[in-house]
PDB file of all heavy atoms in Angstrom:
ATOM      1  N   SER A 527     -13.695  29.615 -11.470  1.00  0.00           N
ATOM      2  CA  SER A 527     -14.471  28.483 -11.983  1.00  0.00           C
ATOM      3  C   SER A 527     -15.726  28.211 -11.132  1.00  0.00           C
ATOM      4  O   SER A 527     -16.832  27.940 -11.677  1.00  0.00           O
ATOM      5  CB  SER A 527     -13.626  27.274 -12.164  1.00  0.00           C
ATOM      6  OG  SER A 527     -12.524  27.452 -12.943  1.00  0.00           O
ATOM      7  N   LEU A 528     -15.570  28.260  -9.816  1.00  0.00           N
ATOM      8  CA  LEU A 528     -16.790  28.021  -8.938  1.00  0.00           C
ATOM      9  C   LEU A 528     -17.794  29.092  -9.140  1.00  0.00           C
ATOM     10  O   LEU A 528     -18.987  28.791  -9.138  1.00  0.00           O
ATOM     11  CB  LEU A 528     -16.355  27.896  -7.543  1.00  0.00           C
ATOM     12  CG  LEU A 528     -15.270  26.748  -7.219  1.00  0.00           C
ATOM     13  CD1 LEU A 528     -14.771  26.809  -5.780  1.00  0.00           C
ATOM     14  CD2 LEU A 528     -15.958  25.416  -7.513  1.00  0.00           C
ATOM     15  N   GLN A 529     -17.360  30.331  -9.245  1.00  0.00           N
ATOM     16  CA  GLN A 529     -18.312  31.453  -9.430  1.00  0.00           C
ATOM     17  C   GLN A 529     -18.970  31.350 -10.785  1.00  0.00           C
ATOM     18  O   GLN A 529     -20.125  31.753 -10.942  1.00  0.00           O
ATOM     19  CB  GLN A 529     -17.561  32.834  -9.222  1.00  0.00           C
ATOM     20  CG  GLN A 529     -17.179  32.989  -7.744  1.00  0.00           C
ATOM     21  CD  GLN A 529     -16.406  34.266  -7.562  1.00  0.00           C
ATOM     22  OE1 GLN A 529     -15.822  34.828  -8.478  1.00  0.00           O
ATOM     23  NE2 GLN A 529     -16.383  34.709  -6.308  1.00  0.00           N
ATOM     24  N   ARG A 530     -18.297  30.806 -11.735  1.00  0.00           N
ATOM     25  CA  ARG A 530     -18.945  30.596 -13.082  1.00  0.00           C
ATOM     26  C   ARG A 530     -20.069  29.601 -12.982  1.00  0.00           C
ATOM     27  O   ARG A 530     -21.106  29.773 -13.592  1.00  0.00           O
ATOM     28  CB  ARG A 530     -17.836  30.048 -14.102  1.00  0.00           C
ATOM     29  CG  ARG A 530     -17.024  31.089 -14.744  1.00  0.00           C
ATOM     30  CD  ARG A 530     -16.187  30.451 -15.920  1.00  0.00           C
ATOM     31  NE  ARG A 530     -17.031  30.018 -16.983  1.00  0.00           N
ATOM     32  CZ  ARG A 530     -17.028  28.798 -17.605  1.00  0.00           C
ATOM     33  NH1 ARG A 530     -16.111  27.910 -17.247  1.00  0.00           N
ATOM     34  NH2 ARG A 530     -17.803  28.557 -18.589  1.00  0.00           N
ATOM     35  N   LEU A 531     -19.856  28.509 -12.149  1.00  0.00           N
ATOM     36  CA  LEU A 531     -20.986  27.604 -11.963  1.00  0.00           C
ATOM     37  C   LEU A 531     -22.172  28.330 -11.400  1.00  0.00           C
ATOM     38  O   LEU A 531     -23.265  28.119 -11.798  1.00  0.00           O
ATOM     39  CB  LEU A 531     -20.481  26.479 -11.060  1.00  0.00           C
ATOM     40  CG  LEU A 531     -19.547  25.425 -11.659  1.00  0.00           C
ATOM     41  CD1 LEU A 531     -19.011  24.504 -10.549  1.00  0.00           C
ATOM     42  CD2 LEU A 531     -20.227  24.558 -12.621  1.00  0.00           C
ATOM     43  N   VAL A 532     -21.880  29.147 -10.385  1.00  0.00           N
ATOM     44  CA  VAL A 532     -23.003  29.933  -9.755  1.00  0.00           C
ATOM     45  C   VAL A 532     -23.702  30.814 -10.744  1.00  0.00           C
ATOM     46  O   VAL A 532     -24.973  30.867 -10.781  1.00  0.00           O
ATOM     47  CB  VAL A 532     -22.514  30.701  -8.528  1.00  0.00           C
ATOM     48  CG1 VAL A 532     -23.629  31.456  -7.925  1.00  0.00           C
ATOM     49  CG2 VAL A 532     -21.944  29.727  -7.460  1.00  0.00           C
ATOM     50  N   SER A 533     -22.979  31.471 -11.589  1.00  0.00           N
ATOM     51  CA  SER A 533     -23.552  32.406 -12.526  1.00  0.00           C
ATOM     52  C   SER A 533     -24.439  31.721 -13.606  1.00  0.00           C
ATOM     53  O   SER A 533     -25.336  32.330 -14.136  1.00  0.00           O
ATOM     54  CB  SER A 533     -22.447  33.243 -13.167  1.00  0.00           C
ATOM     55  OG  SER A 533     -21.732  32.487 -14.022  1.00  0.00           O
ATOM     56  N   ARG A 534     -24.082  30.467 -13.809  1.00  0.00           N
ATOM     57  CA  ARG A 534     -24.852  29.700 -14.842  1.00  0.00           C
ATOM     58  C   ARG A 534     -25.999  28.855 -14.275  1.00  0.00           C
ATOM     59  O   ARG A 534     -26.682  28.148 -14.942  1.00  0.00           O
ATOM     60  CB  ARG A 534     -23.861  28.758 -15.613  1.00  0.00           C
ATOM     61  CG  ARG A 534     -22.787  29.554 -16.284  1.00  0.00           C
ATOM     62  CD  ARG A 534     -23.316  30.234 -17.559  1.00  0.00           C
ATOM     63  NE  ARG A 534     -23.705  29.317 -18.606  1.00  0.00           N
ATOM     64  CZ  ARG A 534     -22.909  28.730 -19.482  1.00  0.00           C
ATOM     65  NH1 ARG A 534     -21.652  29.134 -19.531  1.00  0.00           N
ATOM     66  NH2 ARG A 534     -23.357  27.927 -20.402  1.00  0.00           N
ATOM     67  N   TRP A 535     -26.135  28.871 -12.972  1.00  0.00           N
ATOM     68  CA  TRP A 535     -27.164  28.056 -12.287  1.00  0.00           C
ATOM     69  C   TRP A 535     -28.511  28.493 -12.636  1.00  0.00           C
ATOM     70  O   TRP A 535     -28.821  29.674 -12.587  1.00  0.00           O
ATOM     71  CB  TRP A 535     -26.906  28.074 -10.786  1.00  0.00           C
ATOM     72  CG  TRP A 535     -27.917  27.166 -10.097  1.00  0.00           C
ATOM     73  CD1 TRP A 535     -29.031  27.606  -9.367  1.00  0.00           C
ATOM     74  CD2 TRP A 535     -27.962  25.768  -9.982  1.00  0.00           C
ATOM     75  NE1 TRP A 535     -29.754  26.588  -8.947  1.00  0.00           N
ATOM     76  CE2 TRP A 535     -29.128  25.399  -9.261  1.00  0.00           C
ATOM     77  CE3 TRP A 535     -27.050  24.743 -10.478  1.00  0.00           C
ATOM     78  CZ2 TRP A 535     -29.373  24.034  -8.938  1.00  0.00           C
ATOM     79  CZ3 TRP A 535     -27.314  23.427 -10.207  1.00  0.00           C
ATOM     80  CH2 TRP A 535     -28.517  23.136  -9.437  1.00  0.00           C
ATOM     81  N   ASP A 536     -29.382  27.615 -12.971  1.00  0.00           N
ATOM     82  CA  ASP A 536     -30.829  27.855 -13.176  1.00  0.00           C
ATOM     83  C   ASP A 536     -31.687  26.907 -12.296  1.00  0.00           C
ATOM     84  O   ASP A 536     -31.752  25.707 -12.627  1.00  0.00           O
ATOM     85  CB  ASP A 536     -31.189  27.691 -14.686  1.00  0.00           C
ATOM     86  CG  ASP A 536     -32.640  27.965 -15.006  1.00  0.00           C
ATOM     87  OD1 ASP A 536     -33.421  28.142 -14.129  1.00  0.00           O
ATOM     88  OD2 ASP A 536     -32.961  28.048 -16.242  1.00  0.00           O
ATOM     89  N   ASP A 537     -32.206  27.424 -11.301  1.00  0.00           N
ATOM     90  CA  ASP A 537     -32.879  26.548 -10.309  1.00  0.00           C
ATOM     91  C   ASP A 537     -34.140  25.842 -10.844  1.00  0.00           C
ATOM     92  O   ASP A 537     -34.516  24.851 -10.366  1.00  0.00           O
ATOM     93  CB  ASP A 537     -33.209  27.302  -9.099  1.00  0.00           C
ATOM     94  CG  ASP A 537     -33.332  26.461  -7.794  1.00  0.00           C
ATOM     95  OD1 ASP A 537     -32.415  25.756  -7.475  1.00  0.00           O
ATOM     96  OD2 ASP A 537     -34.486  26.501  -7.267  1.00  0.00           O
ATOM     97  N   GLN A 538     -34.665  26.441 -11.901  1.00  0.00           N
ATOM     98  CA  GLN A 538     -35.880  25.930 -12.414  1.00  0.00           C
ATOM     99  C   GLN A 538     -35.666  24.668 -13.286  1.00  0.00           C
ATOM    100  O   GLN A 538     -36.457  23.817 -13.358  1.00  0.00           O
ATOM    101  CB  GLN A 538     -36.618  26.991 -13.333  1.00  0.00           C
ATOM    102  CG  GLN A 538     -37.095  28.261 -12.569  1.00  0.00           C
ATOM    103  CD  GLN A 538     -37.973  27.896 -11.453  1.00  0.00           C
ATOM    104  OE1 GLN A 538     -38.978  27.249 -11.629  1.00  0.00           O
ATOM    105  NE2 GLN A 538     -37.775  28.400 -10.273  1.00  0.00           N
ATOM    106  N   THR A 539     -34.491  24.589 -13.824  1.00  0.00           N
ATOM    107  CA  THR A 539     -34.206  23.467 -14.835  1.00  0.00           C
ATOM    108  C   THR A 539     -33.094  22.547 -14.344  1.00  0.00           C
ATOM    109  O   THR A 539     -33.059  21.437 -14.964  1.00  0.00           O
ATOM    110  CB  THR A 539     -33.741  24.100 -16.175  1.00  0.00           C
ATOM    111  OG1 THR A 539     -32.502  24.784 -16.016  1.00  0.00           O
ATOM    112  CG2 THR A 539     -34.817  25.013 -16.728  1.00  0.00           C
ATOM    113  N   MET A 540     -32.380  22.812 -13.304  1.00  0.00           N
ATOM    114  CA  MET A 540     -31.189  22.051 -12.974  1.00  0.00           C
ATOM    115  C   MET A 540     -31.327  21.349 -11.524  1.00  0.00           C
ATOM    116  O   MET A 540     -31.822  21.926 -10.632  1.00  0.00           O
ATOM    117  CB  MET A 540     -29.974  22.878 -12.958  1.00  0.00           C
ATOM    118  CG  MET A 540     -29.561  23.522 -14.232  1.00  0.00           C
ATOM    119  SD  MET A 540     -28.202  24.642 -14.134  1.00  0.00           S
ATOM    120  CE  MET A 540     -28.006  25.255 -15.834  1.00  0.00           C
TER     121      MET A 540
END
Side-chain angles (χ1 to χ4, degrees):
S527 302
L528 297 174
Q529 291 175 342
R530 279 189 67 227
L531 285 169
V532 176
S533 70
R534 298 287 292 274
W535 180 259
D536 182 349
D537 202 59
Q538 297 301 310
T539 63
M540 298 176 180

